[in-house]
Amino acid sequence: MATGHGEGYELSDFLKAKYEHVFVVLFDATHDKVVSRTDFVNLLRKVADIHDSEVSDPSYKILQERIASIMAGLMKGNRAHKSSRPLEMHMNLEEWLTHWSEFVAAAQSRAGWPDTSLDGKVDYSWQKDLMDFLFDVIDLNGDGVIDLAEFTECFAEFDINDWLCETAFKKMTEGTKDVLDRTRFEQLWFQYLTSDSHDDPGTFLIPGRF
């Protein structure tokens, strides 16, 4: 269904709730329902603290570059600012939901990760950067897998309580290994972004109550 900016998918209340949860938990640090440069700077500081990375460390510069790349990819895909010169580096909640409604439409049409929106005007290549970034943030010891302790400790820094984290991790690892590798994380993230099922394990990747 058209959403007003190209071909989009009419998000269910459940999908809206998941997208709003990501918006609030990970990005909107100032709680003004707008994601801006300030929020990305706050995210940089938070992640640097989680990983004990000082401003003078090479790892801090790498974090800075990765977050800047994610922000640029998201903002360039915000149709509300496509004609703006210079590019306006902010996105409100309504624009955020529109962006993801178009992503879901493309994902459903292509039965998997889309490279672009259906009309080809929005590039989704930055999505891989975001997914890898989230994995690396949660993988606290950098061993290539996420265990329960890391999952819980990381999301505690985003004010998500231990019980929610433990419940979510159990759902995601039920019947499988007791850790998440990058391949499994990718599957779960795609489910989180596109699935309308309350029971899909990916629904629990960013722990919350929906």
Side-chain angles (χ1 to χ4, degrees):
M1 175 178 179
T3 61
H5 299 289
E7 293 299 320
Y9 173 82
E10 185 173 6
L11 296 175
S12 66
D13 288 344
F14 180 55
L15 275 175
K16 283 182 181 178
K18 288 197 291 181
Y19 282 122
E20 288 184 26
H21 185 57
V22 172
F23 185 90
V24 171
V25 170
L26 298 183
F27 296 111
D28 186 19
T30 54
H31 305 295
D32 59 357
K33 295 190 177 182
V34 176
V35 171
S36 66
R37 191 185 302 276
T38 299
D39 294 301
F40 279 90
V41 170
N42 287 333
L43 178 62
L44 170 63
R45 291 170 178 163
K46 183 184 289 287
V47 173
D49 286 344
I50 291 171
H51 285 264
D52 297 321
S53 180
E54 302 290 339
V55 174
S56 58
D57 296 341
S59 60
Y60 189 93
K61 181 170 178 57
I62 292 171
L63 276 177
Q64 195 172 36
E65 290 172 349
R66 292 182 77 178
I67 289 175
S69 176
I70 291 164
M71 181 180 182
L74 178 62
M75 296 304 168
K76 286 176 183 177
N78 185 2
R79 291 176 183 274
H81 303 314
K82 287 297 275 187
S83 61
S84 299
R85 295 294 185 271
L87 183 69
E88 295 180 28
M89 301 299 277
H90 55 77
M91 176 183 281
N92 64 37
L93 180 57
E94 181 181 356
E95 293 162 352
W96 170 269
L97 293 174
T98 295
H99 177 88
W100 289 109
S101 75
E102 295 182 3
F103 173 85
V104 174
Q108 290 188 342
S109 175
R110 289 155 191 171
W113 286 98
D115 295 323
T116 66
S117 57
L118 290 177
D119 60 11
K121 293 182 178 179
V122 178
D123 180 9
Y124 295 134
S125 60
W126 67 274
Q127 281 282 346
K128 178 72 162 52
D129 297 335
L130 174 60
M131 182 186 66
D132 284 338
F133 173 76
L134 292 175
F135 182 90
D136 292 338
V137 169
I138 305 169
D139 179 20
L140 297 178
N141 64 11
D143 65 353
V145 294
I146 297 168
D147 62 23
L148 173 59
E150 290 174 312
F151 191 78
T152 303
E153 182 179 344
C154 179
F155 278 111
E157 297 297 324
F158 292 91
D159 298 322
I160 298 178
N161 69 54
D162 289 357
W163 180 84
L164 279 175
C165 291
E166 291 165 5
T167 301
F169 201 82
K170 182 178 179 180
K171 292 280 189 182
M172 291 188 293
T173 56
E174 191 171 4
T176 65
K177 298 179 294 184
D178 57 0
V179 295
L180 304 176
D181 62 18
R182 199 175 294 270
T183 299
R184 179 60 173 157
F185 189 89
E186 179 177 351
Q187 295 167 348
L188 294 168
W189 182 233
F190 185 75
Q191 279 187 351
Y192 185 95
L193 294 176
T194 61
S195 175
D196 255 322
S197 172
H198 291 250
D199 298 322
D200 277 345
T203 291
F204 300 91
L205 189 57
I206 310 296
R209 293 185 176 92
F210 306 111

